[in-house]
Amino acid sequence: MIDLAAVQSLRAVDEHGSVVAAADALGFTPSAVSQQVKRLEKQAGVALLERVGRGVLLTGAGRRLVDDGARLLADLERVEAELHAYSRTVAGHVRLACFSTAMRGLAAPVTRRLLDTHPDLRITLSEEEPWDAVDLVARGRVEVAVAHAWGDVALVVPEHVVATELGHDPAHAIVRHDHPLAGRGSVTAADLADEDWVATPPGTICRQWLERMHDGTGRRPRIAHQSREFECHLALVSAGLGTALVPRLGRAPLGDDLVALGVTDPAPTRTVVALHRRSLSGSPAVAAVLDELQRGWAAGA
C-alpha cells in the first residue's frame, strides 16, 4: 500500500528542488524525508528521484506518483473534512496566510476571537504576497488565505480553490497637512501627476497599481523612495519626503500631520477575498475561520 504521507514528502521535494528544502518546508528532518522517499521507492519498485547537479528531479514514475497522489490526497482531505463535519466540533490546525495589511487590520483581531471561542482550534499565521498565498492554498500548504486584486487586474485562482469576496478596500493619497492639495478632500490621478512618490518596490501589486493609475496622465509616477511597509510610507510622508498611496485596511491612525485624500479617475480600490480548497468546504474549522473573516470585515475587524 502506497504511503500517502510519504507522497506528500515526495511532492515537497518536487516543489522545492531538494530533500533539505522539502524538509524545512514540512517541518521534518532531511533524514525523515529521505527515509519516506526510499520507502516509497521500495513500495513502487522503481526509482522516483534522480540527482541533477546539487538538486534532484522526479523520474517519470515519480511524476506519475506525485500527479496521481495529489488527486488522492485531495479526496482524502475532503473525506476527512466531511467526517469532522459530523462532530460539528471546531478543532484542529488551520494555517492562515495573509498580505501584510490584512494581517494587521483583519487576521490579528479575527484570530484572537476564534481562539477565545474555540479552545480546541489552533491557528498559524504567515504573511504572504497575494499570488504566493493563492499558490500555497492550491498546493495544500495552507488551509485558508486572504488575498487581494487591484482594480480590473484579476487574481488567477485555480478551479479547485474557492474565492469568497470579503469586500473592497480603497487606497488614499496620503499627504502632509501643509500640502497644497490637503484641503481638497479628493483628487484625481492627474492632480497627482507631479508628486514625488513613496512606493513599494517594482513588481509588487501596489506598485503596479500606482503605475496603472498614471496611465491616463501620460506620465510615469516619479518614485522618490521605496519601502515594503506602509508604516514606513507614512513616516516618510510625515517627514515631507513625498506622497504615498496607502490602502485603508490595517492603516494606523494618521494623527494631525497627515491627511488622507480620496482618489478618483481612476479610483485605486482592491477586492479582498478569502481562499480555501474546495476539498475543505465541509471542514467546521475552515468554515469557522471563513465566517469570522466575513464578520470581521463587515464590522471593520
Side-chain angles (χ1 to χ4, degrees), residues 282-299:
S283 166
V286 169
V289 172
L290 293 173
D291 288 346
E292 192 59 48
L293 285 171
Q294 290 176 296
R295 281 195 290 269
W297 183 276

PDB file of all heavy atoms in Angstrom, residues 282-299:
ATOM      1  N   GLY A 282     -16.256  21.198   3.691  1.00  0.00           N
ATOM      2  CA  GLY A 282     -17.019  20.590   4.768  1.00  0.00           C
ATOM      3  C   GLY A 282     -16.360  20.677   6.127  1.00  0.00           C
ATOM      4  O   GLY A 282     -16.923  20.208   7.124  1.00  0.00           O
ATOM      5  N   SER A 283     -15.187  21.293   6.218  1.00  0.00           N
ATOM      6  CA  SER A 283     -14.466  21.363   7.492  1.00  0.00           C
ATOM      7  C   SER A 283     -15.073  22.413   8.419  1.00  0.00           C
ATOM      8  O   SER A 283     -15.129  23.599   8.067  1.00  0.00           O
ATOM      9  CB  SER A 283     -12.994  21.708   7.232  1.00  0.00           C
ATOM     10  OG  SER A 283     -12.350  22.099   8.418  1.00  0.00           O
ATOM     11  N   PRO A 284     -15.501  22.034   9.624  1.00  0.00           N
ATOM     12  CA  PRO A 284     -16.020  23.041  10.569  1.00  0.00           C
ATOM     13  C   PRO A 284     -14.979  24.096  10.931  1.00  0.00           C
ATOM     14  O   PRO A 284     -15.329  25.271  11.123  1.00  0.00           O
ATOM     15  CB  PRO A 284     -16.405  22.203  11.798  1.00  0.00           C
ATOM     16  CG  PRO A 284     -16.636  20.828  11.265  1.00  0.00           C
ATOM     17  CD  PRO A 284     -15.637  20.666  10.157  1.00  0.00           C
ATOM     18  N   ALA A 285     -13.706  23.701  11.022  1.00  0.00           N
ATOM     19  CA  ALA A 285     -12.661  24.659  11.390  1.00  0.00           C
ATOM     20  C   ALA A 285     -12.477  25.701  10.297  1.00  0.00           C
ATOM     21  O   ALA A 285     -12.397  26.910  10.565  1.00  0.00           O
ATOM     22  CB  ALA A 285     -11.347  23.926  11.664  1.00  0.00           C
ATOM     23  N   VAL A 286     -12.406  25.249   9.053  1.00  0.00           N
ATOM     24  CA  VAL A 286     -12.248  26.188   7.931  1.00  0.00           C
ATOM     25  C   VAL A 286     -13.488  27.069   7.816  1.00  0.00           C
ATOM     26  O   VAL A 286     -13.379  28.282   7.598  1.00  0.00           O
ATOM     27  CB  VAL A 286     -11.992  25.412   6.627  1.00  0.00           C
ATOM     28  CG1 VAL A 286     -12.106  26.335   5.417  1.00  0.00           C
ATOM     29  CG2 VAL A 286     -10.606  24.768   6.663  1.00  0.00           C
ATOM     30  N   ALA A 287     -14.673  26.487   7.987  1.00  0.00           N
ATOM     31  CA  ALA A 287     -15.908  27.276   7.927  1.00  0.00           C
ATOM     32  C   ALA A 287     -15.927  28.347   9.005  1.00  0.00           C
ATOM     33  O   ALA A 287     -16.361  29.487   8.760  1.00  0.00           O
ATOM     34  CB  ALA A 287     -17.119  26.354   8.068  1.00  0.00           C
ATOM     35  N   ALA A 288     -15.439  28.010  10.200  1.00  0.00           N
ATOM     36  CA  ALA A 288     -15.420  28.991  11.293  1.00  0.00           C
ATOM     37  C   ALA A 288     -14.479  30.145  10.966  1.00  0.00           C
ATOM     38  O   ALA A 288     -14.791  31.313  11.235  1.00  0.00           O
ATOM     39  CB  ALA A 288     -14.988  28.308  12.587  1.00  0.00           C
ATOM     40  N   VAL A 289     -13.331  29.828  10.384  1.00  0.00           N
ATOM     41  CA  VAL A 289     -12.375  30.875  10.016  1.00  0.00           C
ATOM     42  C   VAL A 289     -12.966  31.779   8.939  1.00  0.00           C
ATOM     43  O   VAL A 289     -12.891  33.013   9.031  1.00  0.00           O
ATOM     44  CB  VAL A 289     -11.047  30.252   9.542  1.00  0.00           C
ATOM     45  CG1 VAL A 289     -10.124  31.332   8.976  1.00  0.00           C
ATOM     46  CG2 VAL A 289     -10.353  29.533  10.695  1.00  0.00           C
ATOM     47  N   LEU A 290     -13.565  31.192   7.916  1.00  0.00           N
ATOM     48  CA  LEU A 290     -14.163  31.986   6.845  1.00  0.00           C
ATOM     49  C   LEU A 290     -15.301  32.862   7.366  1.00  0.00           C
ATOM     50  O   LEU A 290     -15.404  34.042   7.012  1.00  0.00           O
ATOM     51  CB  LEU A 290     -14.682  31.063   5.744  1.00  0.00           C
ATOM     52  CG  LEU A 290     -13.631  30.282   4.957  1.00  0.00           C
ATOM     53  CD1 LEU A 290     -14.298  29.288   4.022  1.00  0.00           C
ATOM     54  CD2 LEU A 290     -12.734  31.225   4.168  1.00  0.00           C
ATOM     55  N   ASP A 291     -16.152  32.302   8.225  1.00  0.00           N
ATOM     56  CA  ASP A 291     -17.269  33.079   8.781  1.00  0.00           C
ATOM     57  C   ASP A 291     -16.769  34.258   9.604  1.00  0.00           C
ATOM     58  O   ASP A 291     -17.305  35.369   9.512  1.00  0.00           O
ATOM     59  CB  ASP A 291     -18.152  32.178   9.651  1.00  0.00           C
ATOM     60  CG  ASP A 291     -18.975  31.195   8.835  1.00  0.00           C
ATOM     61  OD1 ASP A 291     -19.068  31.377   7.608  1.00  0.00           O
ATOM     62  OD2 ASP A 291     -19.514  30.237   9.431  1.00  0.00           O
ATOM     63  N   GLU A 292     -15.733  34.003  10.409  1.00  0.00           N
ATOM     64  CA  GLU A 292     -15.222  35.078  11.264  1.00  0.00           C
ATOM     65  C   GLU A 292     -14.505  36.140  10.438  1.00  0.00           C
ATOM     66  O   GLU A 292     -14.573  37.334  10.768  1.00  0.00           O
ATOM     67  CB  GLU A 292     -14.275  34.501  12.317  1.00  0.00           C
ATOM     68  CG  GLU A 292     -13.921  35.467  13.436  1.00  0.00           C
ATOM     69  CD  GLU A 292     -15.154  35.956  14.193  1.00  0.00           C
ATOM     70  OE1 GLU A 292     -15.993  35.121  14.579  1.00  0.00           O
ATOM     71  OE2 GLU A 292     -15.272  37.185  14.395  1.00  0.00           O
ATOM     72  N   LEU A 293     -13.850  35.745   9.347  1.00  0.00           N
ATOM     73  CA  LEU A 293     -13.237  36.735   8.451  1.00  0.00           C
ATOM     74  C   LEU A 293     -14.305  37.632   7.835  1.00  0.00           C
ATOM     75  O   LEU A 293     -14.138  38.857   7.753  1.00  0.00           O
ATOM     76  CB  LEU A 293     -12.447  36.034   7.348  1.00  0.00           C
ATOM     77  CG  LEU A 293     -11.104  35.418   7.736  1.00  0.00           C
ATOM     78  CD1 LEU A 293     -10.545  34.577   6.593  1.00  0.00           C
ATOM     79  CD2 LEU A 293     -10.092  36.493   8.137  1.00  0.00           C
ATOM     80  N   GLN A 294     -15.424  37.033   7.446  1.00  0.00           N
ATOM     81  CA  GLN A 294     -16.521  37.824   6.866  1.00  0.00           C
ATOM     82  C   GLN A 294     -17.132  38.764   7.898  1.00  0.00           C
ATOM     83  O   GLN A 294     -17.400  39.936   7.608  1.00  0.00           O
ATOM     84  CB  GLN A 294     -17.587  36.896   6.277  1.00  0.00           C
ATOM     85  CG  GLN A 294     -17.125  36.164   5.018  1.00  0.00           C
ATOM     86  CD  GLN A 294     -18.150  35.182   4.510  1.00  0.00           C
ATOM     87  OE1 GLN A 294     -18.479  34.203   5.170  1.00  0.00           O
ATOM     88  NE2 GLN A 294     -18.669  35.425   3.327  1.00  0.00           N
ATOM     89  N   ARG A 295     -17.347  38.245   9.103  1.00  0.00           N
ATOM     90  CA  ARG A 295     -17.915  39.099  10.167  1.00  0.00           C
ATOM     91  C   ARG A 295     -16.931  40.193  10.544  1.00  0.00           C
ATOM     92  O   ARG A 295     -17.332  41.346  10.770  1.00  0.00           O
ATOM     93  CB  ARG A 295     -18.257  38.248  11.393  1.00  0.00           C
ATOM     94  CG  ARG A 295     -19.555  37.481  11.261  1.00  0.00           C
ATOM     95  CD  ARG A 295     -20.012  36.962  12.629  1.00  0.00           C
ATOM     96  NE  ARG A 295     -19.142  35.898  13.109  1.00  0.00           N
ATOM     97  CZ  ARG A 295     -19.340  34.622  12.874  1.00  0.00           C
ATOM     98  NH1 ARG A 295     -20.386  34.234  12.173  1.00  0.00           N
ATOM     99  NH2 ARG A 295     -18.515  33.721  13.354  1.00  0.00           N
ATOM    100  N   GLY A 296     -15.675  39.838  10.615  1.00  0.00           N
ATOM    101  CA  GLY A 296     -14.656  40.833  10.950  1.00  0.00           C
ATOM    102  C   GLY A 296     -14.582  41.934   9.924  1.00  0.00           C
ATOM    103  O   GLY A 296     -14.465  43.131  10.261  1.00  0.00           O
ATOM    104  N   TRP A 297     -14.665  41.571   8.651  1.00  0.00           N
ATOM    105  CA  TRP A 297     -14.642  42.597   7.597  1.00  0.00           C
ATOM    106  C   TRP A 297     -15.863  43.508   7.715  1.00  0.00           C
ATOM    107  O   TRP A 297     -15.738  44.738   7.646  1.00  0.00           O
ATOM    108  CB  TRP A 297     -14.598  41.944   6.220  1.00  0.00           C
ATOM    109  CG  TRP A 297     -14.503  42.957   5.129  1.00  0.00           C
ATOM    110  CD1 TRP A 297     -15.530  43.641   4.561  1.00  0.00           C
ATOM    111  CD2 TRP A 297     -13.308  43.450   4.533  1.00  0.00           C
ATOM    112  NE1 TRP A 297     -15.062  44.530   3.603  1.00  0.00           N
ATOM    113  CE2 TRP A 297     -13.707  44.435   3.570  1.00  0.00           C
ATOM    114  CE3 TRP A 297     -11.960  43.159   4.685  1.00  0.00           C
ATOM    115  CZ2 TRP A 297     -12.781  45.115   2.781  1.00  0.00           C
ATOM    116  CZ3 TRP A 297     -11.030  43.832   3.899  1.00  0.00           C
ATOM    117  CH2 TRP A 297     -11.438  44.795   2.971  1.00  0.00           C
ATOM    118  N   ALA A 298     -17.040  42.898   7.878  1.00  0.00           N
ATOM    119  CA  ALA A 298     -18.260  43.686   7.953  1.00  0.00           C
ATOM    120  C   ALA A 298     -18.251  44.658   9.128  1.00  0.00           C
ATOM    121  O   ALA A 298     -18.809  45.758   9.049  1.00  0.00           O
ATOM    122  CB  ALA A 298     -19.474  42.756   8.051  1.00  0.00           C
ATOM    123  N   ALA A 299     -17.605  44.228  10.218  1.00  0.00           N
ATOM    124  CA  ALA A 299     -17.553  45.071  11.413  1.00  0.00           C
ATOM    125  C   ALA A 299     -16.338  45.974  11.439  1.00  0.00           C
ATOM    126  O   ALA A 299     -16.106  46.672  12.437  1.00  0.00           O
ATOM    127  CB  ALA A 299     -17.544  44.186  12.669  1.00  0.00           C
TER     128      ALA A 299
END
